[in-house]
Amino acid sequence: AAAAAAAADGLGHVAESLGAQAEDWGAPSPRFTSKAPRPDPLAPPPPAPVEVDVGSNKEVERLTALLEEQRLKNYDQTRRVMELLEQLRDEQERADDFRSQLEMRDVDVIRLERRIEERQQVRKQSRPDIAELEPSLGRKILGMREDGCIPTPPPEPADKWSRELQEEEEAVQPEEEVIIYRGDRRSRTLRSSLENVTGVAYPTENKTHALNDQDLISCFRGIVPPTEDSGISRGSAPRGEGHEDQYSWILALSLPNPRDPVNQALRSHGISHHEAASIFDRCFKAEEVGGDKDVQKERHLQEKELFMNAFNHLPSAEGNPKLKRFAGIEPAASVFWMQLEEMGMSKDTDQEQIAHSFLELLRNTIVTKITMHCQLPVRTCATEDARSVLVLVTATPKDLLWEADRQGFPTELDVRMVDPASLEPCCPKSFYPLLDWYLRKAPYAPVQEVADAYAKVILSLMDADEEDLSRRSLEVAFWAKHEAKPEEVVLKESASGDVGKDGQPQTVEQVMKLAMHEKDHLYHSARKRAALQRAFVKYLELKAERGLNADPLELQDEANKFVGSKVLVNWHNAIGLEGVAYPYKAFRVEQYSGKQARPWEWKAYQCRARRADVVISTPFNGNERAKLLESIILRQLDLAQLTNLGLINSVFPLDGRDKIESTIPGHLGEPSLLHERWGMIDGSNIIRKVMHFIQGIFHPVPLEEAKDYYGERIAFYFALVELICWWLIIPGLTGIAVMTAHKLMPYDPRVEKAPRLRVGLDLMYATLIAVWSTVLQERWKRRQIGLALLWGQRGINKVEEPRPRFFGIQRRSPVTYEDGELHYPTRERLKSQILSLCVLCGLAGLEYQGTIYTGKLRGAWIENDWPFHERAQQGTALLEDLQMTVCSKLGYFLAWKLNERENLRTGTEYINGLIAKVVAHELWNRFHLYFYVAFLKANREGCVITDAEGTQNLVPPEEMYGRMCQEEVSTQVTMVLCVEFAKNALELIKPLVKTHFSNWFRPAPEVIAVDEARGVARMAHFCQDSMEKPEYGASLEVDGTFGDYLELMILLGHFTLFPLVFPLAPTMGFILLLVELRVDGFKLFELVRRPLPRSAEDIGNWFYVIMAISWTSMFTNVGLVVFTLGAFDEYFGDLPRWVYFVFLAGVLSLFKVFLQIVVPDVPHCVTIAEEHSDHVRAQIDKTYAEDVPHVQEKVHLAALDLTVDDANTGQWRDPAEFGISTTRIRKRLQAIRKRRKKKAHAAAAAAFVAGAGSGAAAANTVV
């Protein structure tokens, strides 16, 4: 407040003087000009009198020109002054806004103003008023010359190179001159000058820089300044935490090794000054120093200048002194090392960390910013094959806690701590706790068996530990409030216990008990009510036996198994949820580590520390730790942009122990469900592995574990596949019946009448598929909302930054008024979209022509009795499938390029555009053949029909009598689905074969960071093992789920669009998807690199693809019934076919619309659970009133480690910490030894051939 008020006073004084000067120059006075005139220290000196010879015309003309020039100069001065007045007015308005904000916050303004007045009095006594300052100081503020004129800014250079040289020249000028030429720095320099005049600091909350500019540029170059002995080792936490307080390594950044010969040959010509500056602008962000965005922009410019200063010290490229070396090592006798030796550096000891090339400068910059600006522990080491440099990054618990608090990260609460009553057994219909029901609310309460078992539970709770009682206070209160009081105990002589001697109710309580019927609260069946009571008694006995720490869910499962049915339910099951709706809450540090903190209210996970023998308890699971760490790094680095430019090979999270073992307290050391159902057992017995793989097909998908490890986006894909798979059972069984009827009742549609039963089955099956697809669509819509609730993804914020490849013109944001927003004109994008439409339509036309020619080839093959003409349909079907495969690859490539051309802004827009193009083309490519054969081919070319003797004949169009080519469509669909079976098998075999051959031909690493005897390895080995696996997806923007979703949509089209011509399609689809679940899980777990976890609220635009397929399937199945099969021709009258088509399609359309209207999108149970979660969160927030301030801690430069360690350095780590078994380590060692042996044999053979050749040459010489 003092700063704001004093700054406003100083601004007012300057404004008054400037306003007076503006009035003298003919400009209007600003609104805040003082009424009392002040002496104008900034007014220009009066012009000297000029003697004029009136009689001379030349003299008059000269004076006229002089006056015109003076008028123009005064006008320019007036314009400049008005611009400065506008800036001053903005500053004053900011101060006024700040003061009004303080008043709104009920701050004691009077006390603050008194302090401001006191400071101003002291300041006036110690320094003169602004009006008494010498004129030269005022001119310095405004950048005036001594003659009172404001210099005109120089013209903007046309080319970028000249503009950069001008910026470098301006950077070394004094700050008061920068205000004249640098528009970006003008307001801040003006503000600094005003602070110097008024003595008042501008009200910003700037943080202390982690490094000063000199140390920062030294770190960029790789010259770490000497530091005081703080006891912090290199590569440790910058704030001083030890290895026991750091998580094990979480993320790995793979950078190209600049000293590898392969990377040295990439850009041997070097890199220019402009390219380096552009890379820094696009890939790096400024250190967060607080204040407004102008301060951050200023800091970014400062860091860019420091980076370019370090870039200028790099050695020049070979043969081009204007460029700098991109990769490689500078020779020892070069000028570069001579300059460093003059600075005291040694090429023998400092060669490894000093930047020889741009790639090393980039690596030092990345490591410095992550360590000092993100304040994260970093270690750099080489891979075993020395092709890449690994930057390993981890965090301390404090880092992730503050990051989660900063972004309000949705974190799972421990439902046993915050809402234990929801886990206890309750009435299935009225939600009363069963304990309350059997002891108080039931007509026959209290039940003696329940009361006895409850007494045992109370005794066991009294023996619990005091710490457990304190933490589980809500659970203890739940059990304690039902303890019977002495006056409430009743005798059991009467059967009902609620009637008097005359058999009538005696009290109001007895009347209410009799009114509460059991059927309205429990089950209608008396048998189930009896089983419920027995199960609840068993539950209480187990609770008394195992104590307070027993899991209620496990006790309920055991009690239900005891009675043989699932009658015991909790609140979550009673409202209709699939599982327990664990409440999620935006994370707050004060609720986890403050004075009133209750950290046990958050669900706890156990993970290893960087020190191998220490375990850290954390509220974040594996994928949440990776997300939070990535978000910290993204505040300083644009990883997607670095990857896009090829400056980073890949970014991937390291596998953790939670991949193969459970990390939930109480279940530590137990095998994880992911490993049991998706992993492969160790050993070399192939039969056991195959049997284990087949058994895993019939196991449920571990969705919760997949979500916790791989992220919600991948878990949603598996949930969708599982739902479609099991929902295919009904149409699959119906399809078997329809297929049997087709085989038992064949007929020739040209001369025979279709059997009535077959027509009825076909009509019923087509209607079933249309209804089934609609119900499936609505079921998934509701299920994904339920899963989003269970996974804490409901209403997540989706604030996206522009894509790395997005380009455009800079403008001022119309929303936030910020400068520098990239904008791409909509008209240009529309042109690209029209081009995309034309190209894809042209490709679709070529595919259609190929289908027509293939159909003609099929007819000619059969009609001319060419060889193997009896297999003509199968052969041409394979030819069609080959065409589909080739066109699919071509269409995917074109869609990718066209989508890039559209220059979409965000990643979501990019994915949605790619989905629209790829899916539209794929659906046409895969299914236009069926449309053509089913509805058009008969009238144009005729059909191929097999007669009773098994001979295939080409029937001309005039003999088809309006019927369609049912047999050909059935053959095509059958062959394509068989090919899909084969592709599914290849999907499993292809990564295995590819990995095998790539490992076989990959050069054997020179270093093996493994201790085979102890079964341990170093970090370089674990990272090398991950990097040898293929990535899951094409890029950071398009992950592997895109291809999986696309394959699923194509299969769904085969199941729903034309199942009537091949009724076994849903049955084959069920088998396909059942195997697909196992194959995709095995591929994700064993064969590909772990992807970066991504949050998701639903499946995105893929749901609209399902809707489109659902609506299309309704019309295709109706068309097959009416046109292809002719079901309405014989038994439903003589109306035209299109009448029946419109009627049946209209009825089914009304049903779909009715179902979409009647069935709510959000299930009622989800609404109840969300309201209950809001209630639980509100109850938690009531108990916390303290805010923990985020105090800036000192960052120690001693933690910065710029050296690249050898692959065989570092701690020996247990392979289980990184999700790898010891057997797999030894198996990889055997493969490396085989590669080394192969390399040795090849070298020996080459030497032998060379020796033989030299011997033959010598013999020829002798001859």
Side-chain angles (χ1 to χ4, degrees), residues 632-654:
I632 296 175
I633 297 176
L634 288 178
R635 294 210 302 270
Q636 293 297 315
L637 307 177
D638 193 337
L639 298 178
Q641 192 70 262
L642 287 167
T643 306
N644 180 41
L645 296 175
L647 302 175
I648 289 182
N649 294 331
S650 60
V651 181
F652 58 94
L654 296 171

Side-chain angles (χ1 to χ4, degrees), residues 722-764:
E722 185 181 34
L723 178 70
I724 296 176
C725 176
W726 294 109
W727 270 62
L728 280 171
I729 293 179
I730 296 177
L733 295 177
T734 309
I736 294 176
V738 175
M739 190 68 179
T740 304
H742 285 188
K743 294 299 182 181
L744 295 178
M745 293 179 287
Y747 74 102
D748 188 350
R750 297 172 298 169
V751 297
E752 297 179 0
K753 186 177 180 180
R756 186 182 297 272
L757 179 60
R758 177 169 174 173
V759 171
L761 287 176
D762 290 340
L763 183 58
M764 181 268 297

Side-chain angles (χ1 to χ4, degrees), residues 308-570:
M308 297 312 299
N309 193 337
F311 176 81
N312 293 331
H313 285 84
L314 292 177
S316 301
E318 298 179 2
N320 193 345
K322 294 183 179 180
L323 303 180
K324 299 299 182 180
R325 181 187 294 275
F326 184 78
I329 304 176
E330 185 68 11
S334 63
V335 179
F336 174 74
W337 282 111
M338 294 175 59
Q339 296 175 351
L340 289 177
E341 287 178 353
E342 294 178 358
M343 298 171 55
M345 308 298 295
S346 173
K347 59 177 174 292
D348 298 327
T349 59
D350 302 321
Q351 185 178 10
E352 291 298 326
Q353 63 183 22
I354 293 178
H356 296 242
S357 61
F358 177 75
L359 286 182
E360 293 187 346
L361 171 64
L362 193 73
R363 185 191 66 222
N364 290 340
T365 305
I366 290 174
V367 174
T368 301
K369 290 190 73 64
I370 295 178
T371 304
M372 305 308 297
H373 294 171
C374 298
Q375 303 180 11
L376 299 173
V378 177
R379 176 176 175 251
T380 309
C381 67
T383 54
E384 291 182 330
D385 58 2
R387 296 287 301 275
S388 303
V389 174
L390 294 170
V391 178
L392 303 175
V393 188
T394 185
T396 64
K398 186 185 298 183
D399 295 323
L400 300 190
L401 294 179
W402 279 113
E403 179 62 23
D405 180 85
R406 173 176 179 156
Q407 56 181 273
F409 192 79
T411 310
E412 184 177 346
L413 296 169
D414 191 342
V415 68
R416 289 196 62 191
M417 299 297 181
V418 299
D419 189 21
S422 66
L423 297 179
E424 298 297 336
C426 69
C427 297
K429 297 181 179 180
S430 59
F431 314 127
Y432 289 116
L434 284 182
L435 190 62
D436 195 16
W437 172 262
Y438 285 118
L439 293 182
R440 296 182 180 179
K441 297 187 180 299
Y444 42 83
V447 178
Q448 192 62 40
E449 287 183 287
V450 175
D452 295 342
Y454 172 70
K456 296 178 182 178
V457 173
I458 294 299
L459 292 176
S460 66
L461 295 181
M462 295 174 63
D463 296 335
D465 185 66
E466 292 186 2
E467 184 177 358
D468 291 339
L469 291 174
S470 175
R471 290 187 174 185
R472 304 184 185 277
S473 57
L474 294 179
E475 187 173 356
V476 173
F478 170 81
W479 291 100
K481 73 177 182 179
H482 294 90
E483 188 173 4
K485 299 180 181 179
E487 58 271 14
E488 294 180 355
V489 178
V490 296
L491 299 177
K492 296 298 176 182
E493 288 86 358
S494 174
S496 64
D498 290 323
V499 296
K501 296 181 180 180
D502 54 354
Q504 297 296 327
Q506 298 296 317
T507 63
V508 176
E509 183 180 4
Q510 294 174 359
V511 176
M512 293 179 61
K513 284 186 175 182
L514 289 177
M516 298 177 67
H517 300 288
E518 289 185 273
K519 294 181 180 181
D520 296 334
H521 300 271
L522 305 179
Y523 298 105
H524 284 277
S525 172
R527 182 182 59 83
K528 294 186 71 174
R529 293 198 297 270
L532 177 64
Q533 181 174 329
R534 287 188 286 111
F536 184 62
V537 172
K538 181 65 176 179
Y539 174 85
L540 294 177
E541 293 175 353
L542 293 173
K543 182 73 174 180
E545 179 182 348
R546 300 180 186 179
L548 185 61
N549 292 324
D551 188 0
L553 299 179
E554 295 180 357
L555 300 183
Q556 289 179 30
D557 291 340
E558 294 186 23
N560 286 328
K561 291 179 182 179
F562 174 75
V563 298
S565 61
K566 191 176 180 180
V567 293
L568 206 61
V569 296
N570 54 35

Side-chain angles (χ1 to χ4, degrees), residues 594-825:
K595 294 181 180 179
Q596 302 176 354
R598 300 168 61 89
W600 54 84
E601 291 183 347
W602 307 84
K603 189 173 181 179
Y605 298 90
Q606 303 291 337
C607 63
R608 294 286 178 176
R610 190 172 169 186
R611 180 176 156 185
D613 58 340
V614 177
V615 177
I616 298 178
S617 179
T618 174
F620 311 114
N621 57 36
N623 96 78
E624 291 172 344
R625 293 195 294 271
K627 288 178 185 177
L628 291 171
L629 182 60
E630 183 187 10
S631 64
I632 296 175
I633 297 176
L634 288 178
R635 294 210 302 270
Q636 293 297 315
L637 307 177
D638 193 337
L639 298 178
Q641 192 70 262
L642 287 167
T643 306
N644 180 41
L645 296 175
L647 302 175
I648 289 182
N649 294 331
S650 60
V651 181
F652 58 94
L654 296 171
D655 285 313
R657 184 181 289 270
D658 48 348
K659 181 178 181 180
I660 59 176
E661 293 182 4
S662 174
T663 58
I664 300 177
H667 302 276
L668 297 178
E670 298 179 3
S672 67
L673 285 178
L674 282 178
H675 184 258
E676 289 181 352
R677 298 180 182 177
W678 285 356
M680 186 59 68
I681 59 176
D682 295 329
S684 57
N685 192 335
I686 302 298
I687 298 178
R688 286 187 57 200
K689 290 184 178 181
V690 172
M691 293 302 298
H692 176 75
F693 183 85
I694 295 175
Q695 291 174 0
I697 293 177
F698 303 99
H699 290 162
V701 178
L703 288 179
E704 285 292 331
E705 289 73 15
K707 179 265 299 183
D708 289 341
Y709 193 74
Y710 293 108
E712 291 79 10
R713 182 183 295 180
I714 293 177
F716 268 117
Y717 164 73
F718 282 97
L720 176 61
V721 177
E722 185 181 34
L723 178 70
I724 296 176
C725 176
W726 294 109
W727 270 62
L728 280 171
I729 293 179
I730 296 177
L733 295 177
T734 309
I736 294 176
V738 175
M739 190 68 179
T740 304
H742 285 188
K743 294 299 182 181
L744 295 178
M745 293 179 287
Y747 74 102
D748 188 350
R750 297 172 298 169
V751 297
E752 297 179 0
K753 186 177 180 180
R756 186 182 297 272
L757 179 60
R758 177 169 174 173
V759 171
L761 287 176
D762 290 340
L763 183 58
M764 181 268 297
Y765 190 53
T767 306
L768 172 66
I769 294 297
V771 173
W772 175 86
S773 62
T774 304
V775 177
L776 174 68
Q777 167 192 322
E778 294 299 319
R779 178 68 183 93
W780 172 250
K781 184 193 300 183
R782 294 165 60 86
R783 176 170 168 76
Q784 71 178 355
I785 293 176
L787 291 177
L789 170 72
L790 297 179
W791 296 343
Q793 298 297 303
R794 287 280 290 167
I796 58 175
N797 296 325
K798 297 181 180 180
V799 180
E800 294 186 88
E801 295 291 333
R803 295 173 51 244
R805 298 186 182 183
F806 176 74
F807 60 90
I809 58 175
Q810 289 191 355
R811 68 172 185 179
R812 186 188 188 194
S813 172
V815 179
T816 60
Y817 295 158
E818 295 180 6
D819 297 335
E821 181 188 65
L822 289 179
H823 171 69
Y824 187 72

Side-chain angles (χ1 to χ4, degrees), residues 5 19 81 135 145 159 345 365 512 587-588 641 649 675 760 921 943 947 952 966 1013 1052 1078 1110 1197 1223 1241:
V81 169
R145 294 197 300 263
D159 57 330
M345 308 298 295
T365 305
M512 293 179 61
F587 189 83
R588 291 174 58 185
Q641 192 70 262
N649 294 331
H675 184 258
H921 172 263
C943 300
D947 55 17
Q952 295 182 356
Q966 177 184 355
L1052 183 62
R1078 185 68 172 93
S1110 174
L1197 183 59
T1223 305
H1241 290 167

